[in-house]
Coordinates of all heavy atoms in Angstrom, one line a residue:
E1 N -14.6 10.1 5.5 CA -15.1 10.6 4.2 C -14.1 10.1 3.2 O -12.9 10.5 3.3 CB -15.3 12.2 4.2 CG -16.0 12.5 2.8 CD -16.6 13.9 2.9 OE1 -17.1 14.3 3.9 OE2 -16.4 14.5 1.8
I2 N -14.5 9.3 2.3 CA -13.6 8.8 1.4 C -14.3 9.1 -0.1 O -15.4 8.6 -0.4 CB -13.3 7.3 1.4 CG1 -12.5 7.1 2.7 CG2 -12.5 6.8 0.3 CD1 -12.3 5.7 3.1
L3 N -13.7 9.7 -1.0 CA -14.2 10.1 -2.2 C -15.7 10.6 -2.1 O -16.5 10.3 -2.9 CB -14.2 8.8 -3.2 CG -12.8 8.3 -3.5 CD1 -13.0 7.0 -4.3 CD2 -11.9 9.4 -4.1
G4 N -15.9 11.6 -1.1 CA -17.1 12.1 -1.0 C -18.2 11.4 -0.4 O -19.3 11.8 -0.3
A5 N -17.9 10.1 0.1 CA -19.0 9.3 0.7 C -18.5 8.9 2.0 O -17.4 8.6 2.2 CB -19.4 8.1 -0.2
L6 N -19.5 8.7 3.0 CA -19.0 8.1 4.3 C -18.8 6.7 4.2 O -19.5 5.9 3.4 CB -20.2 8.4 5.3 CG -20.2 9.8 5.9 CD1 -21.3 10.0 6.9 CD2 -18.9 10.2 6.5
D7 N -17.7 6.2 4.9 CA -17.3 4.9 4.7 C -17.2 4.3 6.2 O -16.2 4.5 6.8 CB -16.0 4.8 4.1 CG -15.4 3.2 4.0 OD1 -16.2 2.3 4.1 OD2 -14.2 3.0 4.0
P8 N -18.2 3.8 6.8 CA -18.2 3.3 8.2 C -17.3 2.2 8.3 O -17.4 1.2 7.5 CB -19.6 3.1 8.6 CG -20.3 2.8 7.3 CD -19.6 3.6 6.3
R9 N -16.5 2.1 9.4 CA -15.6 0.9 9.6 C -15.7 0.6 11.1 O -15.8 1.5 11.9 CB -14.1 1.3 9.4 CG -13.9 1.5 7.9 CD -12.5 2.2 7.7 NE -12.5 2.6 6.3 CZ -11.5 2.1 5.4 NH1 -10.8 1.3 5.8 NH2 -11.5 2.5 4.2
S10 N -15.7 -0.8 11.3 CA -15.6 -1.2 12.7 C -14.2 -1.7 13.0 O -13.6 -2.3 12.1 CB -16.5 -2.4 12.9 OG -17.9 -2.1 12.8
T11 N -13.8 -1.2 14.1 CA -12.4 -1.6 14.4 C -12.4 -2.5 15.7 O -13.1 -2.2 16.6 CB -11.4 -0.4 14.6 OG1 -11.9 0.4 15.7 CG2 -11.2 0.3 13.3
F12 N -11.5 -3.5 15.9 CA -11.5 -4.3 17.0 C -9.9 -4.3 17.3 O -9.1 -4.7 16.5 CB -11.8 -5.7 16.8 CG -13.2 -5.7 16.2 CD1 -13.4 -5.7 14.8 CD2 -14.4 -5.8 17.0 CE1 -14.8 -5.7 14.3 CE2 -15.7 -5.9 16.6 CZ -15.9 -5.7 15.1
T13 N -9.6 -3.9 18.5 CA -8.3 -3.7 19.0 C -7.9 -4.5 20.2 O -8.6 -4.4 21.1 CB -7.9 -2.2 19.3 OG1 -8.3 -1.4 18.1 CG2 -6.4 -2.0 19.5
L14 N -6.9 -5.4 20.0 CA -6.5 -6.2 21.2 C -5.6 -5.4 22.1 O -5.1 -4.4 21.8 CB -5.8 -7.4 20.6 CG -6.6 -8.5 19.9 CD1 -6.0 -8.8 18.7 CD2 -6.9 -9.6 20.8
P15 N -5.5 -5.9 23.4 CA -4.6 -5.3 24.3 C -3.1 -5.3 23.8 O -2.8 -6.2 23.0 CB -4.6 -6.0 25.6 CG -5.9 -6.8 25.5 CD -6.2 -6.9 24.1
A16 N -2.3 -4.4 24.2 CA -0.9 -4.3 23.8 C -0.2 -5.6 24.3 O -0.4 -6.2 25.2 CB -0.2 -3.1 24.5
F17 N 0.8 -5.9 23.2 CA 1.6 -7.0 23.4 C 2.6 -6.8 24.8 O 3.1 -5.8 24.8 CB 2.4 -7.5 22.3 CG 1.5 -8.2 21.2 CD1 1.1 -7.4 20.2 CD2 1.3 -9.5 21.3 CE1 0.3 -8.0 19.1 CE2 0.5 -10.1 20.2 CZ 0.0 -9.2 19.2
E18 N 2.8 -7.7 25.6 CA 3.6 -7.6 26.7 C 5.0 -7.8 26.4 O 6.0 -7.4 27.0 CB 3.1 -8.4 27.9 CG 1.8 -7.9 28.5 CD 1.4 -8.7 29.7 OE1 2.1 -9.7 30.2 OE2 0.2 -8.5 30.1
E19 N 5.3 -8.7 25.3 CA 6.7 -9.0 24.9 C 6.5 -9.0 23.4 O 5.5 -9.1 22.7 CB 7.0 -10.3 25.5 CG 6.1 -11.5 25.2 CD 6.6 -12.8 25.8 OE1 7.2 -12.7 26.9 OE2 6.4 -13.8 25.3
D20 N 7.7 -9.0 22.8 CA 7.8 -9.1 21.3 C 7.1 -10.4 20.9 O 7.4 -11.4 21.6 CB 9.3 -9.1 20.7 CG 10.0 -7.7 21.0 OD1 9.2 -6.8 21.6 OD2 11.1 -7.6 20.6
T21 N 6.3 -10.3 19.8 CA 5.5 -11.4 19.4 C 5.5 -11.4 17.9 O 5.3 -10.5 17.3 CB 4.0 -11.4 19.9 OG1 4.1 -11.3 21.4 CG2 3.2 -12.6 19.5
T22 N 5.8 -12.5 17.3 CA 5.8 -12.8 15.8 C 4.5 -13.6 15.4 O 4.3 -14.6 15.8 CB 7.1 -13.5 15.4 OG1 8.2 -12.6 15.8 CG2 7.1 -13.5 13.8
I23 N 3.8 -13.0 14.3 CA 2.8 -13.8 13.7 C 3.4 -14.0 12.3 O 4.0 -13.2 11.6 CB 1.3 -13.1 13.6 CG1 1.5 -11.7 13.0 CG2 0.9 -12.9 15.1 CD1 0.1 -11.2 12.7
A24 N 3.2 -15.3 11.9 CA 3.6 -15.8 10.6 C 2.9 -16.9 10.1 O 2.4 -17.7 10.8 CB 5.1 -16.2 10.8
G25 N 2.5 -16.8 8.8 CA 1.6 -17.7 8.1 C 0.2 -17.2 7.9 O 0.1 -16.0 7.9
P26 N -0.7 -18.1 7.8 CA -2.1 -17.5 7.5 C -2.7 -16.8 8.6 O -2.6 -17.1 9.6 CB -2.9 -18.8 7.0 CG -2.1 -19.9 7.7 CD -0.7 -19.5 7.8
A27 N -3.5 -15.8 8.2 CA -4.2 -15.1 9.2 C -5.7 -15.0 8.7 O -6.0 -14.8 7.4 CB -3.8 -13.7 9.4
T28 N -6.7 -15.3 9.5 CA -8.1 -15.3 9.1 C -8.9 -14.7 10.2 O -8.8 -14.7 11.2 CB -8.5 -16.9 9.2 OG1 -7.6 -17.6 8.3 CG2 -9.9 -17.1 8.6
L29 N -10.0 -14.0 9.6 CA -11.0 -13.3 10.4 C -12.3 -14.1 10.2 O -12.7 -14.4 9.1 CB -11.1 -11.9 9.9 CG -12.3 -11.2 10.7 CD1 -11.9 -10.9 12.2 CD2 -12.5 -9.8 10.1
H30 N -12.8 -14.6 11.3 CA -14.1 -15.2 11.4 C -15.2 -14.3 11.8 O -15.0 -13.8 13.0 CB -14.0 -16.5 12.3 CG -12.9 -17.5 11.8 ND1 -13.3 -18.5 10.9 CD2 -11.7 -17.6 12.2 CE1 -12.1 -19.1 10.8 NE2 -11.1 -18.7 11.5
V31 N -16.2 -14.1 11.1 CA -17.2 -13.1 11.6 C -18.6 -13.8 11.4 O -19.0 -14.6 10.5 CB -17.2 -12.0 10.6 CG1 -18.4 -10.9 11.0 CG2 -15.9 -11.2 10.6
N32 N -19.4 -13.8 12.5 CA -20.8 -14.1 12.5 C -21.6 -12.8 12.4 O -21.4 -12.0 13.2 CB -21.1 -14.9 13.8 CG -22.5 -15.4 13.7 OD1 -23.5 -14.5 14.1 ND2 -22.9 -16.5 13.2
A33 N -22.3 -12.8 11.3 CA -23.0 -11.3 11.0 C -24.3 -11.7 10.3 O -24.5 -12.7 9.6 CB -22.0 -10.5 10.2
S34 N -25.1 -10.7 10.4 CA -26.3 -10.6 9.5 C -26.4 -9.2 8.8 O -25.8 -8.3 9.1 CB -27.6 -10.8 10.4 OG -27.7 -9.8 11.4
T35 N -27.1 -9.2 7.6 CA -27.3 -8.0 6.9 C -28.7 -7.9 6.6 O -29.5 -8.8 6.3 CB -26.4 -8.1 5.6 OG1 -26.7 -6.8 5.0 CG2 -26.6 -9.2 4.8
T36 N -29.2 -6.7 6.4 CA -30.5 -6.4 5.9 C -30.7 -6.5 4.4 O -31.8 -6.4 3.9 CB -31.0 -5.0 6.5 OG1 -30.1 -4.0 5.8 CG2 -31.1 -4.9 7.9
A37 N -29.6 -6.6 3.7 CA -29.5 -6.7 2.3 C -29.4 -8.1 1.8 O -28.8 -9.0 2.5 CB -28.4 -5.7 1.8
P38 N -29.7 -8.5 0.5 CA -29.5 -9.8 0.1 C -28.0 -10.1 -0.3 O -27.7 -11.2 -0.6 CB -30.3 -9.8 -1.1 CG -30.5 -8.3 -1.6 CD -30.4 -7.5 -0.4
D39 N -27.1 -9.1 -0.1 CA -25.6 -9.4 -0.4 C -24.9 -8.2 0.3 O -25.5 -7.1 0.5 CB -25.3 -9.5 -1.8 CG -24.1 -10.2 -2.1 OD1 -23.4 -10.8 -1.2 OD2 -23.6 -10.0 -3.3

């Protein structure tokens, strides 16, 4: 509940890193999706 309205969120969690790992530089999420609305 955020500001009186429900805000549904999808979360995607990867398995735990087995060793220290650094990400650096651009990060991008690619999503294939459809919506029932025009935007």
